[in-house]
């Protein structure tokens, strides 16, 4: 008995550890610790549903075990058939009504929450952001603020922010578990959702619809900041100057190389682009959503993006076909890109 208890205790410790580990790889990548309206509402429905399921499971198992014990074959009664019950109206009404009641208990809050999350009434005076899913990254456009960026979605805390979502290739799914539920991002019809974050912080997001080789690497984040920080970020992004000339000669050479080899797909500033917009790239914390933000990683990414994110759109870049960017060139480009910082471009506005 004691041995069994020990085993059970070890097993539950192990499960707990797994749960903790799975949640701590990337902070906040969990729906069980909600930090926004959508996630909180969803968790409410999850808890109600799980509670109903546990009650059903326990009751059914109890009856099952009771029946097994009471009606098991006893010695000397091998050929006995117990009394059979059929057409019992009361019993049939009871086991029809109970599931209906349980389904109502689940359905009412589920439908209410679904309608709450579909609310679009305050769209006019809210922040609207156009989200585009692409293999395997996210483009964010703030049309009223005239800002375009990628991978990091900045929003102010405590405000409803509306997302209008489209894909430019296959179906993706936008999911920031700590803030809200999943929403399909389709090529044809625009889907909308809103997010409202309760706490400042960086919330990790995942693409939740299989979309190709690097589906699992289609990470992004929502950066929730105070209203003042948000206003500052907007100002910094609006001040992005594509003509900005860095101080060092290598970075200047990097800029020229970037304009030759990269600018046909990428963009800096409020310009539409096929590839990720790199405005204030130096201020970001990740490269391509999944790589450490260092010069070394950036050089490797420029020279061999297939090794980091298989199947991504950059693999078609002409410079990779004709090997026109050497390692030395890539280092210069990286140096230039890492200097694309609000504080470098416009020292006065960054404070
Ligand atoms: Cu995009 Cu999976």
């Amino acid at each position: 008995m004691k041995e069994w208890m020990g085993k059970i205790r070890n097993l539950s410790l192990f499960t707990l550890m797994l749960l903790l580990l799975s949640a701590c790889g990337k902070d906040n990548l969990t729906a069980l610790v909600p930090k926004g309206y959508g996630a909180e509402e969803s968790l409410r429905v999850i808890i109600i549903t799980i509670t109903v399921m546990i009650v059903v499971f326990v009751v059914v198992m109890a009856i099952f075990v009771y029946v097994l014990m009471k009606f098991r074959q006893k010695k000397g009664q091998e050929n006995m058939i117990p009394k059979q019950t059929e057409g019992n109206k009361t019993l049939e009404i009871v086991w029809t009504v109970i599931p209906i009641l349980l389904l109502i208990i689940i359905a009412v809050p589920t439908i209410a929450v679904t309608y709450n999350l579909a609310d679009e009434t305050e769209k006019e005076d809210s922040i609207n952001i156009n989200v585009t899913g692409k293999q395997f990254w996210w483009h964010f456009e703030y049309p009223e603020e005239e800002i375009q960026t990628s991978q990091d979605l900045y929003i102010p805390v405590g405000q409803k922010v509306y997302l209008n979502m489209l894909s430019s290739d296959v179906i993706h799914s936008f999911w920031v578990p700590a803030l809200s539920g999943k929403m399909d991002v389709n090529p044809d019809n625009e889907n909308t959702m809103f997010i409202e974050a309760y706490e400042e912080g960086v919330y990790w997001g995942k693409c939740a619809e299989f979309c190709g080789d690097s589906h699992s690497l289609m990470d992004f984040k929502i950066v929730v900041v105070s209203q003042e920080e948000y206003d500052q970020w907007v100002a910094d992004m609006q001040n992005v100057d594509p003509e900005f000339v860095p101080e060092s000669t290598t970075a200047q050479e990097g800029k020229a190389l970037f304009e030759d080899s990269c600018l046909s797909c990428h963009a800096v500033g409020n310009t539409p682009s096929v590839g990720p917009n790199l405005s204030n790239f130096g201020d970001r914390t990740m490269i391509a959503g999944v790589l450490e933000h260092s010069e070394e990683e950036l050089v490797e990414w420029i020279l061999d993006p297939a090794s980091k994110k298989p199947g991504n759109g950059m693999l078609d870049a002409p410079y990779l076909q004709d090997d026109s960017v050497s390692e030395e060139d890539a280092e210069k480009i990286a140096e230039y890109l890492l200097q694309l910082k609000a504080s470098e471009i416009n020292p006065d506005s960054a404070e």
Side-chain angles (χ1 to χ4, degrees):
M1 191 66 185
K2 256 187 187 160
E3 215 176 286
W4 269 103
M5 295 295 277
K7 269 186 187 159
I8 289 171
R9 209 169 37 228
N10 284 345
L11 195 70
S12 46
L13 269 178
F14 178 70
T15 319
L16 189 73
M17 220 168 66
L18 264 187
L19 269 175
L20 287 174
L21 282 177
S22 61
C24 72
K26 273 185 175 161
D27 275 356
N28 307 311
L29 202 54
T30 169
L32 301 179
V33 188
K35 300 285 184 188
Y37 179 76
E40 195 178 66
E41 290 287 281
S42 307
L43 184 62
R44 228 156 46 84
V45 176
I46 291 172
I47 289 172
I48 292 170
T49 312
I50 288 180
T51 310
V52 168
M53 287 191 289
I54 289 173
V55 169
V56 170
F57 180 79
V58 168
V59 170
V60 168
M61 284 325 263
I63 295 174
F64 178 63
V65 171
Y66 171 76
V67 168
L68 272 188
M69 307 289 276
K70 182 163 167 118
F71 297 102
R72 73 185 193 279
Q73 200 177 58
K74 293 176 189 99
K75 270 209 174 119
Q77 300 181 347
E78 280 80 3
N79 294 318
M80 200 198 94
I81 294 178
K83 188 180 153 241
Q84 303 292 298
T85 307
E86 49 190 80
N88 185 321
K89 254 194 203 136
T90 321
L91 268 183
E92 284 186 11
I93 288 173
V94 166
W95 66 51
T96 307
V97 168
I98 290 178
I100 290 176
L101 287 178
L102 292 177
L103 284 182
I104 290 174
I105 294 174
I106 295 176
V108 170
T110 305
I111 292 170
V113 164
T114 307
Y115 274 89
N116 285 348
L117 292 179
D119 162 50
E120 288 180 27
T121 48
E122 290 172 49
K123 220 167 169 176
E124 287 288 296
D125 43 2
S126 301
I127 298 169
N128 292 285
I129 301 167
N130 298 327
V131 175
T132 312
K134 301 198 184 201
Q135 284 167 321
F136 302 93
W137 58 280
W138 300 88
H139 178 254
F140 303 120
E141 183 194 13
Y142 298 60
E144 286 121 74
E145 291 80 4
E146 299 186 340
I147 292 171
Q148 306 202 36
T149 184
S150 56
Q151 297 301 72
D152 293 1
L153 182 68
Y154 275 75
I155 61 166
V157 69
Q159 264 200 52
K160 268 188 172 180
V161 175
Y162 288 87
L163 308 178
N164 312 306
M165 307 199 282
L166 267 180
S167 164
S168 70
D169 36 53
V170 298
I171 302 174
H172 303 277
S173 175
F174 185 94
W175 189 35
V176 182
L179 296 183
S180 199
K182 298 170 183 173
M183 180 60 82
D184 268 8
V185 181
N186 301 316
D188 310 313
N189 58 310
E190 193 174 77
N191 274 345
T192 57
M193 71 184 284
F194 72 84
I195 36 175
E196 185 184 346
Y198 295 153
E199 268 177 45
E200 292 172 31
V202 176
Y203 299 95
W204 284 92
K206 278 267 176 198
C207 173
E209 175 80 40
F210 181 71
C211 56
D213 293 355
S214 291
H215 152 71
S216 66
L217 301 173
M218 199 168 158
D219 297 8
F220 63 102
K221 35 187 150 50
I222 295 189
V223 183
V224 181
V225 291
S226 68
Q227 186 64 48
E228 299 86 73
E229 281 173 281
Y230 176 73
D231 293 340
Q232 183 62 58
W233 178 82
V234 168
D236 287 343
M237 289 300 280
Q238 287 170 338
N239 279 328
V240 165
D241 176 14
E243 305 302 320
F244 158 74
V245 180
E247 264 176 38
S248 75
T249 353
T250 35
Q252 285 172 17
E253 287 170 30
K255 178 176 154 75
L257 286 161
F258 176 79
E259 283 166 358
D260 277 350
S261 303
C262 317
L263 214 49
S264 50
C265 290
H266 291 282
V268 175
N270 183 31
T271 317
S273 56
V274 185
N277 184 298
L278 300 177
S279 298
N280 287 348
F281 177 80
D283 288 330
R284 299 193 193 168
T285 56
M286 301 295 273
I287 295 167
V290 287
L291 306 174
E292 193 196 320
H293 200 258
S294 68
E295 188 163 341
E296 199 188 328
E297 284 282 349
L298 186 52
V299 170
E300 281 178 31
W301 167 253
I302 293 169
L303 292 173
D304 189 11
S307 67
K308 309 277 182 187
K309 225 175 180 179
N312 81 76
M314 198 152 131
L315 308 185
D316 297 328
Y319 82 86
L320 288 171
Q321 316 306 320
D322 60 13
D323 277 328
S324 58
V325 168
S326 67
E327 192 171 337
E328 202 187 330
D329 293 342
E331 281 164 12
K332 289 174 183 168
I333 296 173
E335 190 175 326
Y336 163 65
L337 288 176
L338 292 173
Q339 286 188 23
L340 293 179
K341 290 182 174 188
S343 54
E344 296 272 345
I345 293 171
N346 206 332
D348 309 328
S349 85
E351 282 312 305

PDB file of all heavy atoms in Angstrom, residues 18-29:
ATOM      1  N   LEU A  18       5.816  18.508 -15.527  1.00  0.00           N
ATOM      2  CA  LEU A  18       5.589  18.601 -16.970  1.00  0.00           C
ATOM      3  C   LEU A  18       4.769  19.842 -17.285  1.00  0.00           C
ATOM      4  O   LEU A  18       5.076  20.603 -18.199  1.00  0.00           O
ATOM      5  CB  LEU A  18       4.817  17.372 -17.465  1.00  0.00           C
ATOM      6  CG  LEU A  18       5.637  16.231 -18.044  1.00  0.00           C
ATOM      7  CD1 LEU A  18       4.701  15.191 -18.621  1.00  0.00           C
ATOM      8  CD2 LEU A  18       6.566  16.754 -19.144  1.00  0.00           C
ATOM      9  N   LEU A  19       3.703  20.026 -16.488  1.00  0.00           N
ATOM     10  CA  LEU A  19       2.827  21.172 -16.691  1.00  0.00           C
ATOM     11  C   LEU A  19       3.606  22.479 -16.560  1.00  0.00           C
ATOM     12  O   LEU A  19       3.504  23.370 -17.393  1.00  0.00           O
ATOM     13  CB  LEU A  19       1.707  21.167 -15.657  1.00  0.00           C
ATOM     14  CG  LEU A  19       0.421  20.445 -16.060  1.00  0.00           C
ATOM     15  CD1 LEU A  19      -0.538  20.422 -14.894  1.00  0.00           C
ATOM     16  CD2 LEU A  19      -0.219  21.150 -17.251  1.00  0.00           C
ATOM     17  N   LEU A  20       4.421  22.549 -15.491  1.00  0.00           N
ATOM     18  CA  LEU A  20       5.199  23.764 -15.255  1.00  0.00           C
ATOM     19  C   LEU A  20       6.194  23.991 -16.379  1.00  0.00           C
ATOM     20  O   LEU A  20       6.314  25.086 -16.908  1.00  0.00           O
ATOM     21  CB  LEU A  20       5.941  23.668 -13.923  1.00  0.00           C
ATOM     22  CG  LEU A  20       5.058  23.805 -12.687  1.00  0.00           C
ATOM     23  CD1 LEU A  20       5.856  23.561 -11.426  1.00  0.00           C
ATOM     24  CD2 LEU A  20       4.435  25.189 -12.643  1.00  0.00           C
ATOM     25  N   LEU A  21       6.893  22.895 -16.761  1.00  0.00           N
ATOM     26  CA  LEU A  21       7.912  23.018 -17.799  1.00  0.00           C
ATOM     27  C   LEU A  21       7.294  23.448 -19.117  1.00  0.00           C
ATOM     28  O   LEU A  21       7.818  24.302 -19.813  1.00  0.00           O
ATOM     29  CB  LEU A  21       8.643  21.680 -17.984  1.00  0.00           C
ATOM     30  CG  LEU A  21       9.693  21.379 -16.925  1.00  0.00           C
ATOM     31  CD1 LEU A  21      10.302  20.025 -17.164  1.00  0.00           C
ATOM     32  CD2 LEU A  21      10.785  22.451 -16.940  1.00  0.00           C
ATOM     33  N   SER A  22       6.152  22.840 -19.445  1.00  0.00           N
ATOM     34  CA  SER A  22       5.542  23.153 -20.729  1.00  0.00           C
ATOM     35  C   SER A  22       5.096  24.603 -20.761  1.00  0.00           C
ATOM     36  O   SER A  22       4.969  25.208 -21.805  1.00  0.00           O
ATOM     37  CB  SER A  22       4.369  22.224 -21.010  1.00  0.00           C
ATOM     38  OG  SER A  22       3.397  22.404 -20.013  1.00  0.00           O
ATOM     39  N   ALA A  23       4.857  25.175 -19.600  1.00  0.00           N
ATOM     40  CA  ALA A  23       4.379  26.548 -19.581  1.00  0.00           C
ATOM     41  C   ALA A  23       5.516  27.555 -19.519  1.00  0.00           C
ATOM     42  O   ALA A  23       5.330  28.710 -19.835  1.00  0.00           O
ATOM     43  CB  ALA A  23       3.439  26.746 -18.394  1.00  0.00           C
ATOM     44  N   CYS A  24       6.729  27.126 -19.111  1.00  0.00           N
ATOM     45  CA  CYS A  24       7.736  28.143 -18.861  1.00  0.00           C
ATOM     46  C   CYS A  24       8.718  28.326 -20.016  1.00  0.00           C
ATOM     47  O   CYS A  24       9.570  29.195 -19.967  1.00  0.00           O
ATOM     48  CB  CYS A  24       8.473  27.900 -17.549  1.00  0.00           C
ATOM     49  SG  CYS A  24       9.581  26.515 -17.592  1.00  0.00           S
ATOM     50  N   GLY A  25       8.633  27.511 -21.066  1.00  0.00           N
ATOM     51  CA  GLY A  25       9.496  27.698 -22.215  1.00  0.00           C
ATOM     52  C   GLY A  25       9.337  29.094 -22.771  1.00  0.00           C
ATOM     53  O   GLY A  25      10.293  29.833 -22.928  1.00  0.00           O
ATOM     54  N   LYS A  26       8.128  29.455 -23.071  1.00  0.00           N
ATOM     55  CA  LYS A  26       7.848  30.821 -23.470  1.00  0.00           C
ATOM     56  C   LYS A  26       6.797  31.359 -22.520  1.00  0.00           C
ATOM     57  O   LYS A  26       5.730  30.787 -22.384  1.00  0.00           O
ATOM     58  CB  LYS A  26       7.368  30.863 -24.917  1.00  0.00           C
ATOM     59  CG  LYS A  26       8.550  30.946 -25.855  1.00  0.00           C
ATOM     60  CD  LYS A  26       8.199  31.117 -27.274  1.00  0.00           C
ATOM     61  CE  LYS A  26       9.492  31.313 -28.071  1.00  0.00           C
ATOM     62  NZ  LYS A  26       9.322  31.057 -29.481  1.00  0.00           N
ATOM     63  N   ASP A  27       7.142  32.439 -21.846  1.00  0.00           N
ATOM     64  CA  ASP A  27       6.244  33.000 -20.841  1.00  0.00           C
ATOM     65  C   ASP A  27       4.849  33.195 -21.397  1.00  0.00           C
ATOM     66  O   ASP A  27       4.690  33.601 -22.532  1.00  0.00           O
ATOM     67  CB  ASP A  27       6.786  34.363 -20.385  1.00  0.00           C
ATOM     68  CG  ASP A  27       7.812  34.173 -19.289  1.00  0.00           C
ATOM     69  OD1 ASP A  27       8.004  33.022 -18.891  1.00  0.00           O
ATOM     70  OD2 ASP A  27       8.406  35.167 -18.873  1.00  0.00           O
ATOM     71  N   ASN A  28       3.877  32.944 -20.598  1.00  0.00           N
ATOM     72  CA  ASN A  28       2.482  33.265 -20.922  1.00  0.00           C
ATOM     73  C   ASN A  28       1.865  32.432 -22.023  1.00  0.00           C
ATOM     74  O   ASN A  28       0.773  32.727 -22.455  1.00  0.00           O
ATOM     75  CB  ASN A  28       2.342  34.731 -21.355  1.00  0.00           C
ATOM     76  CG  ASN A  28       2.919  35.678 -20.373  1.00  0.00           C
ATOM     77  OD1 ASN A  28       2.612  35.561 -19.193  1.00  0.00           O
ATOM     78  ND2 ASN A  28       3.753  36.588 -20.810  1.00  0.00           N
ATOM     79  N   LEU A  29       2.553  31.436 -22.507  1.00  0.00           N
ATOM     80  CA  LEU A  29       1.966  30.647 -23.592  1.00  0.00           C
ATOM     81  C   LEU A  29       1.007  29.615 -22.992  1.00  0.00           C
ATOM     82  O   LEU A  29       1.164  28.418 -23.164  1.00  0.00           O
ATOM     83  CB  LEU A  29       3.072  29.970 -24.414  1.00  0.00           C
ATOM     84  CG  LEU A  29       2.697  29.553 -25.834  1.00  0.00           C
ATOM     85  CD1 LEU A  29       2.137  30.720 -26.633  1.00  0.00           C
ATOM     86  CD2 LEU A  29       3.882  28.971 -26.552  1.00  0.00           C
TER      87      LEU A  29
END
